[in-house]
Amino acid sequence: MPPEPKTLFPVQLVGAGPGAADLLTLRAARAIEGAQALLYDALVGEDILALAPQACLKIQTGKRAGRPSMRQETINRLMIRLARRGLRVVRLKGGDPSIFGRVGEEAQALRRHGLEAQIVPGVTAACAAAAQFGLPLTHRGVARRVVFTTATTQDGELSMDWAAAADSEATLAIYMGGRAVCEIARRLMAAGRAPHTPLAIVENASAPGARLRLTTLAEQVKTPASPIGPGPALIMVGEALAAGAAWAEAYALDLAGAA
């Protein structure tokens, strides 16, 4: 008799959050604990990987800006191959898989091959960075919108909808733009954003070594070199940031009338 086909479990596309293990969702932690094959991004920390069973097959896929990484097509093929072997496959991504995590591409690839994809959300870097340093992303009467955007195109060119980014009621959360922060500030002012608009750069959000730089668009363009180190950085721009405790401490702002 031919062997019975192996059960095909859904492949879980899981958000590992910004780095700190205690920011994992319960659903994400349980997915990792039950994984038999774990394909993880380079920014996922050892304390999170330690949640996987000892016998779990662990494969690092890279996916860190400026560093070598596995091709997306290769990752897709690996997920499909491992799932067809009947393994519980977890694709572990930094932050939230639905925010610049290529979750759509991977889910489509799986479904084209008859495999179910289950998406497990995670805390995205912008929310973690803002919370860690007491910087609100919205503020009543000041900022009504949050825009998640990347600074560069697939070809590495600096490209944003600068006119939309100049909206004074929007807080911008800019991913993958740390090395171009001075040019970003310059272009935002050219598009009409006020020179005094607060700008925050957070490196290694949620990690013990996280660093914060608070400035304004006008002050940033005067910086001759990038003010950040080698860690992943997120840029936030918007008037709402001035309502934060960290900004108040740095600039002695009077927030007595804050809503």
Side-chain angles (χ1 to χ4, degrees):
M1 294 180 60
E4 293 185 4
K6 293 184 177 179
T7 301
L8 295 182
F9 299 100
V11 176
Q12 294 178 292
L13 310 175
V14 177
D22 58 358
L23 286 179
L24 280 173
T25 67
L26 286 174
R27 186 177 296 180
R30 289 168 182 158
I32 297 167
E33 290 168 351
Q36 294 173 308
L38 190 69
L39 282 70
Y40 64 95
D41 286 351
L43 291 174
V44 176
E46 291 296 328
D47 50 348
I48 293 177
L49 297 177
L51 296 175
Q54 187 173 2
C56 177
L57 173 65
K58 301 183 183 73
I59 303 173
Q60 204 233 72
T61 62
K63 297 298 177 189
R64 184 169 180 176
R67 308 259 180 110
S69 62
M70 192 179 291
R71 290 174 58 84
Q72 186 61 55
E73 295 79 3
T74 304
I75 296 172
N76 294 346
R77 287 197 299 270
L78 268 172
M79 288 191 297
I80 293 164
R81 186 180 307 154
L82 293 167
R84 284 181 169 170
R85 287 171 54 187
L87 300 178
R88 290 186 177 89
V89 179
V90 170
R91 173 76 175 99
L92 193 57
K93 302 166 170 290
D96 182 281
S98 297
I99 299 180
F100 310 121
R102 301 191 184 184
V103 73
E105 298 175 40
E106 295 183 354
Q108 288 174 352
L110 291 166
R111 288 167 183 152
R112 280 197 300 268
H113 289 80
L115 296 168
E116 182 183 351
Q118 181 184 68
I119 299 172
V120 179
V123 176
T124 190
C127 296
Q132 184 172 14
F133 292 103
L135 300 172
L137 293 173
T138 62
H139 192 66
R140 186 166 55 167
V142 177
R144 304 173 56 192
R145 291 175 284 280
V146 181
V147 177
F148 297 97
T149 184
T150 57
T152 57
T153 65
Q154 190 172 2
D155 298 327
E157 296 295 324
L158 188 63
S159 177
M160 288 171 52
D161 185 344
W162 301 104
D167 178 5
S168 63
E169 290 191 336
T171 302
L172 305 179
I174 306 172
Y175 292 68
M176 296 169 273
R179 300 295 181 269
V181 61
C182 294
E183 182 60 23
I184 289 170
R186 188 176 294 110
R187 294 198 189 190
L188 285 173
M189 287 193 295
R193 202 89 192 221
H196 62 264
T197 302
L199 181 148
I201 306 169
V202 177
E203 183 183 359
N204 293 319
S206 86
R211 295 196 306 157
L212 169 69
R213 171 181 166 81
L214 293 170
T215 183
T216 64
L217 293 177
E219 291 172 353
Q220 183 58 57
V221 298
K222 300 174 185 177
T223 305
S226 174
I228 64 171
L234 183 122
I235 303 166
M236 292 175 285
V237 177
E239 285 73 7
L241 302 179
W247 187 281
E249 183 178 347
Y251 288 92
L253 297 179
D254 179 10
L255 300 182

